[in-house]
């Protein structure tokens, strides 16, 4: 080794020597430095012989070679079996190694022996030591060669059992098969003769495997083996059948061994599946999701899944609604769940826009709708990301593109490759295992054993209750510790913060190391919430038979105008999470005003908007069912019958002028009352006075005279006067 102009010599160093006569060119290991006589003991490590003597070289000569550039430090790689700890060797290996070292320990520690071995033709010390330890002199010479070549360490004397048997080398058998003979379990049955695999068989094996086994149809190894015997060994099978003997054929085990030995397992898996499946499920995972976006807001991932739990209607617990759809929006860098949405709609732009609006808006009001009180700092995400990663589904279309492009950049993953947004996919798995699989009515991810109770029978949760549970689970997830976050940013350990999503988010926000962009809540509402036309009526703003009002509407008396001048259309934005409010644009160029549900429909307050749809569907269903009822038909028939009888009765009566018919209507009504009123018979009372008699008559008729107003003249009286 050279340090400046000085050459440092160390024992066990390997040097490459040129023109070092009488030593030939090659690499040499310094076994010892004899300073008293200025001599180096060198060993040629490139010589592959089993018995090699060291060589001597004067130190001044070596220094001169180094100055001339004919001596330079070289590398010598030890065999891999020597690069282990001695304690990790098997016991039998250590015992063999210790026994070998004991045989030569006295020799290798004697520098005089090294000098004699390098300078004399015959060294009596080796023969003397061989006699002492009871080993052959040549065996000790071989051990000394190994010890000097591989660095003068004890492990260099360990047995090389890994070289036994010629592992990895092709073996040729002509008359005798490899391995033990095939022995029968009993003497009653004679086993076939073991087959010797030759080069011709190997060519057949290789051709069959490449043509028939390594295909995307994924045939079994047994089927491929059977077909191979039929196609390539049919003559032997026919001959054996004719001679009434066992066929001399290669075994399935030999065929499998050839496959395992000559084809890499990764190659077999790749060729037996599609490129898409291999990239998704079988390829090595060398990267991490934060390689492209290590800062919060660099990329949000959005995806939907069907929840592993059945729910019921809040209006009628006996009405099962099935499994809702959950949308998650995740920050790729921090793993923070930025927003989510639970609905009865399938994966669509209608449901996805609700999840995005939830991700971009403050969360305290949203959580308060479900009875969860939080501070904004507990769920601080209310910004726009630099990129939104989604799949080729609901986000492809004119409307999603026109709504989202002004806010963020859309990035689409390849078809059938969910691993391109693995963060959001993993969040679904976490939420299912931690929460949904423990609820009543859960399907446990489809792992329902046949014969078990139908999970729909255990459904008890409503959409609102499930959303509340997920809100609490999301808040817990954002505060959970994830080991990988600790390796994604140094800020966490620098400030001694737990590696949780919310800490990752907050510390990067505090240090201004994000790719987030600010947004106005009014812009998010106008762009992302579903647009609907509503009607201004005398009861307020009507949407789906729900009526909404606001202080501005009441101040401007817009419902009064609608009552007198007629209703008109307004533009609105609907939050599918609740029926409690909607956003209405009262003026053409004005902002959206938050309108709350009025008292006319307070039974539907604090429910998801889908419950209003359910109510309308239920009413429509009842109206349709009422069409099959014959009750009105029977009433109409009976009414016609009565009218017909009354008509004939009047027609058959004596003819009276109309003026007489309408004359004295008041008296006629009084007479009709007297004739049709029921009279209760009571026992006669003794007559005391005329007043009592009058009272008796009144009580018998049970008619109580009411106070009368001024007498009115009817048309008949006016005509007569």
């Amino acid at each position: 080794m050279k340090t400046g102009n000085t050459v440092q010599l160390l024992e066990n160093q390997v040097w490459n020597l040129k023109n070092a006569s009488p030593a030939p060119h090659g690499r040499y290991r310094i076994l010892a430095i004899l300073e008293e006589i200025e001599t180096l003991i060198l060993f040629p490590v490139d010589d592959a012989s089993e018995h090699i003597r060291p060589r001597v070289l004067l130190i001044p000569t070596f220094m001169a070679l180094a100055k001339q550039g004919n001596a330079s430090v070289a590398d010598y790689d030890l065999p891999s079996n020597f690069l282990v700890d001695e304690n990790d060797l098997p016991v039998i290996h250590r015992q063999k190694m210790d026994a070998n070292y004991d045989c030569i320990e006295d020799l290798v520690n004697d520098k005089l022996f090294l000098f004699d071995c390098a300078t004399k033709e015959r060294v009596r010390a080796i023969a003397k030591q061989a006699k002492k330890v009871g080993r052959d002199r040549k065996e000790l010479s071989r051990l000394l060669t190994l010890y000097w070549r591989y660095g003068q360490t004890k492990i260099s004397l360990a047995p090389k059992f890994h070289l036994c048997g010629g592992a990895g080398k092709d073996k040729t058998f002509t008359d005798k098969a490899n391995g033990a003979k095939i022995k029968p379990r009993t003497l009653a049955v004679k086993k076939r003769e073991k087959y010797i695999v030759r080069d011709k068989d190997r060519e057949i094996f290789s051709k069959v495997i490449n043509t028939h086994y390594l295909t995307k149809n994924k045939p079994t190894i047994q089927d491929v083996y059977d077909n191979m015997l039929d196609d390539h060994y049919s003559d032997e099978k026919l001959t054996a059948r004719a001679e009434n003997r066992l066929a001399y054929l290669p075994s399935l085990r030999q065929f499998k061994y050839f496959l395992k030995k000559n084809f890499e397992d990764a190659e077999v898996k790749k060729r037996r599946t599609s490129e898409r499946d291999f990239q998704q499920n079988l390829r090595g995972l060398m990267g991490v999701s934060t390689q492209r976006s290590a800062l919060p807001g660099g990329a949000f991932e959005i995806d939907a899944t069907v929840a592993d739990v059945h729910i019921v209607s809040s209006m009628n617990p006996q009405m099962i609604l099935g499994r809702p759809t959950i949308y998650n929006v995740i920050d790729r860098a921090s793993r923070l769940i930025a927003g989510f949405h639970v609905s009865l709609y399938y994966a669509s732009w209608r449901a996805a826009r609700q999840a995005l609006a939830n991700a971009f808006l403050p969360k305290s009001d949203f959580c308060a709708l479900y009875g969860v009180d939080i501070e904004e700092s507990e769920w601080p995400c209310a910004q726009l990301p630099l990129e939104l990663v989604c799949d080729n589904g609901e986000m492809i279309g004119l409307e999603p593109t026109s709504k989202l492009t002004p806010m963020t950049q859309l990035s689409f993953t390849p078809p059938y490759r969910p691993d391109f947004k693995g963060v959001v996919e993993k969040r679904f798995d976490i939420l299912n295992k931690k929460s949904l699989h423990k609820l009543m009515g859960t399907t446990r991810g489809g792992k329902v054993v046949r014969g078990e109770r139908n999970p729909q029978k255990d459904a008890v949760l409503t959409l609102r209750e499930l959303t509340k549970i997920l809100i609490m689970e999301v808040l817990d997830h954002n505060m959970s510790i994830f080991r990988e976050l600790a390796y994604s940013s140094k800020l966490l350990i620098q400030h001694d913060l737990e590696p949780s999503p919310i800490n990752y988010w907050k510390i990067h926000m505090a240090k201004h190391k994000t790719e987030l962009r600010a947004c106005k809540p009014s812009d998010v509402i106008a762009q992302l919430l579903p647009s609907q036309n509503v009607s201004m009526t005398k009861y307020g703003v009507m949407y789906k038979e729900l009526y909404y009002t606001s202080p501005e509407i009441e101040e401007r008396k817009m419902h009064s105008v609608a009552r007198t001048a007629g209703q008109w259309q307004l533009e609105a934005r609907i939050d599918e999470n609740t029926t409690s409010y909607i956003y209405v644009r009262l003026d053409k160029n004005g902002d959206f005003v938050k309108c709350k549900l009025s008292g006319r429909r307070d039974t539907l307050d604090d429910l998801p908007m889908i419950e209003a749809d359910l109510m309308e569907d239920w009413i429509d269903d009842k109206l349709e069912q009422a069409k099959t009822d014959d009750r009105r038909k029977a009433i109409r028939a009976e009414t016609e019958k009565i009218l017909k009888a009354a008509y004939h009765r009047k027609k058959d009566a004596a003819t009276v002028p109309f003026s007489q018919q309408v004359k004295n209507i008041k008296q006629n009504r009084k007479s009709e009352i007297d004739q049709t009123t029921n009279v209760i018979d009571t026992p006669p009372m003794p007559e005391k006075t005329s007043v009592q008699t009058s009272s008796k008559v009144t009580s018998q008729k049970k008619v109580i005279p009411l106070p009368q107003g001024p007498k009115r003249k009817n048309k008949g009286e006016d005509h007569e006067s």
Side-chain angles (χ1 to χ4, degrees):
M1 181 182 296
K2 292 184 179 180
T3 304
N5 295 325
T6 306
V7 178
Q8 293 183 353
L9 300 178
L10 302 174
E11 289 188 1
N12 243 14
Q13 268 187 334
V14 177
W15 287 76
N16 189 20
L17 301 184
K18 300 177 183 178
N19 301 323
S21 181
H25 297 335
R27 293 177 296 176
Y28 291 83
R29 185 184 299 279
I30 300 177
L31 299 183
I33 302 175
L34 306 179
E35 297 180 357
E36 298 83 359
I37 56 176
E38 295 185 340
T39 302
L40 297 177
I41 308 297
L42 305 178
F43 182 85
V45 295
D46 290 334
D47 194 337
S49 303
E50 291 188 352
H51 307 281
I52 306 173
R53 293 285 190 90
R55 302 175 183 272
V56 294
L57 189 65
L58 295 177
I59 293 179
T61 304
F62 189 92
M63 292 297 185
L65 291 173
K67 276 187 179 182
Q68 297 169 4
N70 292 327
S72 59
V73 178
D75 293 328
Y76 183 78
D77 296 329
L78 297 176
S80 59
N81 60 304
F82 293 158
L83 302 178
V84 296
D85 192 336
E86 295 180 6
N87 297 324
D88 295 336
L89 294 175
V91 176
I92 188 172
H93 289 201
R94 288 203 304 270
Q95 292 175 349
K96 184 92 174 165
M97 176 186 67
D98 293 338
N100 290 337
Y101 183 73
D102 292 341
C103 294
I104 63 173
E105 182 179 8
D106 296 339
L107 298 177
V108 297
N109 291 330
D110 187 359
K111 290 188 177 182
L112 181 58
F113 164 75
L114 287 176
F115 184 77
D116 291 343
C117 192
T119 57
K120 297 181 179 179
E121 292 185 3
R122 297 181 61 85
V123 182
R124 298 183 180 275
I126 298 178
K128 184 177 179 181
Q129 182 68 13
K131 186 176 181 180
K132 177 181 177 182
V133 297
R135 305 282 283 271
D136 186 70
R137 180 181 61 82
K138 290 185 177 181
E139 185 177 358
L140 261 62
S141 177
R142 182 180 61 82
L143 293 177
L144 288 170
T145 301
L146 292 175
Y147 184 80
W148 291 329
R149 175 181 289 130
Y150 296 124
Q152 303 185 93
T153 58
K154 185 191 292 188
I155 199 171
S156 61
L157 303 176
K160 301 176 184 177
F161 290 159
H162 65 286
L163 299 179
C164 297
K169 297 180 180 179
D170 291 332
K171 302 173 182 62
T172 302
F173 302 94
T174 55
D175 300 329
K176 184 179 180 182
N178 187 24
K181 294 182 179 180
I182 301 176
K183 295 182 179 180
R185 296 179 181 85
T186 63
L187 298 177
V189 178
K190 182 180 179 181
K191 285 287 186 178
R192 65 176 178 83
E193 184 180 354
K194 196 167 185 179
Y195 190 83
I196 300 176
V197 178
R198 295 179 170 83
D199 292 340
K200 183 179 179 181
D201 299 305
R202 295 187 183 94
E203 292 178 2
I204 294 174
F205 289 178
S206 179
K207 180 180 178 181
V208 170
I209 290 173
N210 282 294
T211 306
H212 301 290
Y213 184 70
L214 300 181
T215 62
K216 294 177 176 57
N217 296 329
K218 296 183 179 181
T220 63
I221 190 71
Q222 180 71 55
D223 291 340
V224 174
Y225 169 74
D226 293 339
N227 293 334
M228 180 189 68
L229 296 184
D230 293 337
D231 296 340
H232 298 277
Y233 296 90
S234 57
D235 293 343
E236 171 61 21
K237 294 171 69 174
L238 291 174
T239 303
R241 192 180 303 116
E243 297 178 357
N244 194 22
R245 61 174 175 81
L246 296 176
Y248 184 63
L249 301 170
S251 66
L252 176 62
R253 186 173 181 180
Q254 290 172 323
F255 186 61
K256 288 181 177 180
Y257 176 77
F258 180 86
L259 171 66
K260 183 178 180 181
K261 180 180 178 181
N262 295 276
F263 294 87
E264 295 289 340
D265 187 55
E267 179 189 2
V268 172
K269 290 182 178 180
K270 186 174 183 178
R271 293 178 62 179
R272 281 174 59 85
T273 187
S274 64
E275 179 67 19
R276 183 181 64 201
D277 180 63
F278 178 81
Q279 293 293 337
Q280 177 180 341
N281 302 314
L282 301 177
R283 66 180 177 88
L285 304 178
M286 302 301 295
V288 293
S289 60
T290 56
Q291 283 181 338
R292 293 185 57 190
S293 54
L295 298 179
F300 280 7
E301 298 180 3
I302 181 172
D303 200 12
T305 189
V306 179
D308 292 340
V309 63
H310 291 275
I311 62 174
V312 299
S313 171
S314 60
M315 310 294 292
N316 183 2
Q318 302 301 321
M319 189 180 296
I320 299 176
L321 303 180
R323 297 161 58 192
T325 300
I326 301 178
Y327 263 95
N328 271 347
V329 182
I330 312 293
D331 177 56
R332 177 182 285 173
S334 65
R335 274 69 165 179
L336 182 85
I337 299 181
F340 77 100
H341 178 64
V342 187
S343 71
L344 294 179
Y345 300 109
Y346 296 108
S348 61
W349 168 239
R350 179 174 184 174
R353 66 196 306 173
Q354 289 286 153
L356 292 172
N358 179 255
F360 302 157
L361 290 173
K363 307 299 188 296
S364 57
D365 292 342
F366 168 73
C367 295
L369 288 174
Y370 299 92
V372 181
D373 296 327
I374 66 168
E375 300 292 336
E376 289 296 342
S377 59
E378 297 180 57
W379 197 351
C381 181
Q383 298 85 14
L384 298 176
L386 181 65
E387 179 186 15
L388 181 64
V389 182
C390 47
D391 52 22
N392 289 320
E394 60 276 7
M395 296 299 177
I396 293 184
L398 295 177
E399 185 176 3
T401 303
S402 62
K403 297 293 185 183
L404 292 174
T405 300
M407 294 183 173
T408 184
Q409 175 186 347
L410 289 178
S411 177
F412 299 100
T413 61
Y416 306 102
R417 291 297 305 275
D419 52 306
F420 272 71
K421 44 184 175 55
V423 176
V424 67
E425 297 286 351
K426 185 61 178 178
R427 294 322 104 173
F428 286 131
D429 182 62
I430 292 174
L431 288 178
N432 278 328
K433 291 180 178 179
K434 288 182 61 177
S435 177
L436 298 185
H437 289 178
K438 301 176 183 178
L439 302 177
M440 296 185 65
T442 179
T443 60
R444 298 196 301 274
K447 299 177 182 178
V448 179
V449 181
R450 184 178 181 181
E452 284 189 350
R453 181 178 174 85
N454 191 333
Q456 293 180 334
K457 296 181 179 179
D458 298 327
V460 295
L461 293 174
T462 64
L463 183 63
R464 177 183 175 84
E465 292 168 341
L466 178 61
T467 304
K468 182 176 181 179
I469 291 173
L470 288 178
I471 287 175
M472 295 185 292
E473 290 294 338
V474 167
L475 293 174
D476 177 71
H477 168 274
N478 289 344
M479 292 186 290
S480 300
I481 295 177
F482 293 95
R483 180 183 295 272
E484 286 300 320
L485 290 178
Y487 300 98
S488 300
S489 175
K490 297 179 181 179
L491 292 178
L492 292 172
I493 190 171
Q494 288 175 357
H495 294 81
D496 193 23
L497 296 174
E498 293 179 348
S500 64
I502 194 167
N503 285 340
Y504 193 100
W505 181 280
K506 286 183 176 180
I507 191 61
H508 283 80
M509 288 285 288
K511 299 298 181 181
H512 313 293
K513 293 184 177 181
T514 71
E515 297 186 69
L516 296 164
R517 294 188 296 170
C519 60
K520 291 175 59 178
S522 58
D523 294 341
V524 175
I525 291 171
Q527 287 289 102
L528 291 182
L529 290 184
S531 175
Q532 295 289 342
N533 289 328
V534 296
S535 300
M536 187 67 223
T537 69
K538 60 183 179 180
Y539 301 118
V541 178
M542 184 183 70
Y543 173 70
K544 291 185 177 180
E545 298 299 326
L546 303 177
Y547 296 95
Y548 296 87
T549 185
S550 70
E552 185 174 349
I553 291 177
E554 296 177 1
E555 181 181 350
R556 297 169 58 178
K557 295 182 172 50
M558 298 179 70
H559 38 44
S560 300
V561 176
R563 183 176 184 181
T564 56
Q567 63 186 27
W568 66 91
Q569 297 290 314
L570 295 172
E571 184 182 0
R573 296 293 185 267
I574 310 301
D575 189 347
E576 300 283 356
N577 291 312
T578 180
T579 58
S580 299
Y581 57 82
I582 61 175
Y583 299 94
V584 182
R585 178 174 282 164
L586 302 180
D587 298 316
K588 184 176 181 180
N589 297 321
D591 293 333
F592 285 95
V593 177
K594 188 175 184 179
C595 299
K596 296 184 178 180
L597 188 69
S598 67
R600 296 182 64 88
R601 296 291 188 268
D602 56 357
T603 55
L604 292 175
D605 195 16
D606 289 335
L607 294 177
M609 193 62 72
I610 192 68
E611 295 287 359
D613 294 333
L614 180 62
M615 174 68 79
E616 288 299 309
D617 290 342
W618 178 78
I619 294 175
D620 292 342
D621 181 64
K622 294 303 178 184
L623 291 175
E624 291 296 327
Q625 292 180 12
K627 293 180 181 179
T628 62
D629 195 350
D630 292 337
R631 183 180 71 255
R632 293 301 306 169
K633 181 179 179 181
I635 293 174
R636 188 168 63 253
E638 189 63 26
T639 301
E640 292 177 355
K641 181 179 179 182
I642 294 173
L643 289 173
K644 186 175 181 181
Y647 173 76
H648 288 295
R649 183 179 66 247
K650 184 176 181 180
K651 185 177 180 181
D652 295 340
T655 304
V656 179
F658 178 73
S659 60
Q660 294 296 325
Q661 294 180 21
V662 298
K663 186 179 181 180
N664 297 326
I665 290 180
K666 183 176 181 181
Q667 185 62 34
N668 294 340
R669 288 167 64 93
K670 184 176 180 182
S671 299
E672 186 71 18
I673 291 173
D674 293 340
Q675 293 176 11
T676 58
T677 301
N678 294 329
V679 178
I680 301 175
D681 296 331
T682 57
M685 299 288 291
E687 297 184 4
K688 291 184 179 180
T689 61
S690 60
V691 177
Q692 291 179 346
T693 302
S694 176
S695 174
K696 178 180 178 181
V697 174
T698 303
S699 64
Q700 288 178 349
K701 293 184 178 181
K702 292 295 181 182
V703 177
I704 302 175
L706 298 175
Q708 297 182 357
K711 186 176 181 180
R712 294 183 299 175
K713 295 180 180 181
N714 53 35
K715 292 183 180 181
E717 293 174 345
D718 292 341
H719 179 72
E720 291 177 353
S721 61

